[in-house]
Amino acid sequence: MNTTFSCVGCGKCCNDHHVPLTLAEARMWAADGGQVIVLVEAFLTNGLGLPAQQREHAERRSVVVRSGACEAHVAITFAAYNVGRCRNLDEDNLCRIYERRPLVCRIYPMEINPHIPLNPAIKECPPESWETGPDLIIGGELVDQELMGLIQRSRQADRDEIQTKEAICALLGIRTTALKGDGFTAYLPDMTAFAVVIDQVEQQPLAGSSGEWVFHVSGDDIAGQVLAAGAQVATEMPLNYAFISLRAA
């Protein structure tokens, strides 16, 4: 498959997208007056919640934590919370922070997850974006070397920063995760507290994960599988997070 791409500046990718951020970008986003959403998912060490072929990638961007009598791998995403137009999009659909825009914005429309192929049909870019422009993919392989480097930087940041993110979550009282593939737990922390905690964690040596995590799941069948593996399941209504289900209705 050969794919060309040229951004036409429609601004559609800057609407209703929670853009994943590196730690530095999250800190900047908070300092600029934006809101960061924290999205959490995990799979169990026995593989529950994870296709086997994705295990290596998933393990590299997660941290091992305790849940009940077993271990889980928790992945934490800090993302720019954008409901409607991005706060940095001007009236001409131009980015006000273009020179310091997040890494993921620079990578779009490519996917960061190596297990998700680029599919123009599900992107919001208009058809003309894909009709002309430089080669993006030739023979199924990404050929844009600069873009390839940005993707590798993003993946590496996921791996390098996960323990710091987990420590930040501990101080913010974030200790409930969803099962990977079943959903996400989503938190909207106070941004003043968020910024203070980031600075606090980055100025001190990291300790190992502290405190147990519990799973919020979509139904009794999933709960039974999680409990059978020895992990803990949340039994009370969420007070500081929302559960985003990925399960078909």
Side-chain angles (χ1 to χ4, degrees):
M1 179 184 98
N2 295 345
T3 304
T4 59
F5 178 79
S6 180
C7 177
V8 297
C10 69
K12 290 182 179 179
C13 63
C14 303
N15 284 266
D16 293 314
H17 286 280
H18 300 330
V19 179
L21 304 170
T22 65
L23 272 175
E25 291 167 352
R27 182 65 180 84
M28 179 187 74
W29 198 265
D32 286 349
Q35 175 69 53
V36 172
I37 187 171
V38 180
L39 301 168
V40 191
E41 61 176 349
F43 65 94
L44 299 183
T45 302
N46 68 2
L48 182 63
L50 182 69
Q53 68 272 21
Q54 297 183 21
R55 189 172 188 112
E56 180 181 0
H57 172 69
E59 284 186 345
R60 294 180 72 178
R61 63 183 302 271
S62 62
V63 61
V64 177
V65 302
R66 297 297 306 177
S67 178
C70 73
E71 291 183 338
H73 293 255
V74 170
I76 301 162
T77 300
F78 291 168
Y81 183 65
N82 289 320
V83 177
R85 288 170 64 84
C86 174
R87 63 191 308 276
N88 292 307
L89 198 64
D90 69 16
E91 60 276 5
D92 296 317
N93 287 331
L94 298 176
C95 179
R96 295 188 180 94
I97 61 166
Y98 188 80
E99 295 303 322
R100 59 186 180 96
R101 68 195 187 281
L103 190 56
V104 167
C105 296
R106 300 170 187 268
I107 291 169
Y108 192 87
M110 284 301 298
E111 303 288 352
I112 296 172
N113 188 324
H115 301 286
I116 302 177
L118 174 63
N119 181 359
I122 65 172
K123 297 294 180 178
E124 294 180 313
C125 308
E128 55 265 32
S129 298
W130 310 98
E131 294 171 356
T132 60
D135 290 324
L136 188 63
I137 294 175
I138 296 178
E141 297 292 332
L142 177 64
V143 295
D144 186 319
Q145 295 299 310
E146 181 180 359
L147 190 53
M148 193 179 301
L150 293 175
I151 292 171
Q152 292 302 323
R153 277 178 54 194
S154 178
R155 290 176 183 170
Q156 193 61 49
D158 269 352
R159 299 161 188 164
D160 293 343
E161 297 175 351
I162 183 58
Q163 288 188 317
T164 303
K165 289 179 181 177
E166 203 272 342
I168 291 167
C169 285
L171 291 174
L172 291 173
I174 295 174
R175 275 296 178 264
T176 302
T177 179
L179 183 68
K180 184 174 176 64
D182 188 47
F184 293 91
T185 51
Y187 298 79
L188 291 173
D190 174 81
M191 284 294 93
T192 299
F194 182 77
V196 168
V197 167
I198 287 181
D199 293 343
Q200 178 182 342
V201 170
E202 290 190 326
Q203 292 170 8
Q204 63 188 23
L206 283 176
S209 176
S210 60
E212 289 199 8
W213 285 76
V214 299
F215 283 83
H216 186 122
V217 296
S218 63
D220 291 342
D221 54 340
I222 304 294
Q225 295 177 58
V226 172
L227 289 169
Q232 287 188 313
V233 171
T235 57
E236 299 180 357
M237 293 293 293
L239 297 178
N240 63 338
Y241 68 91
F243 175 71
I244 302 173
S245 177
L246 296 178
R247 198 171 190 177

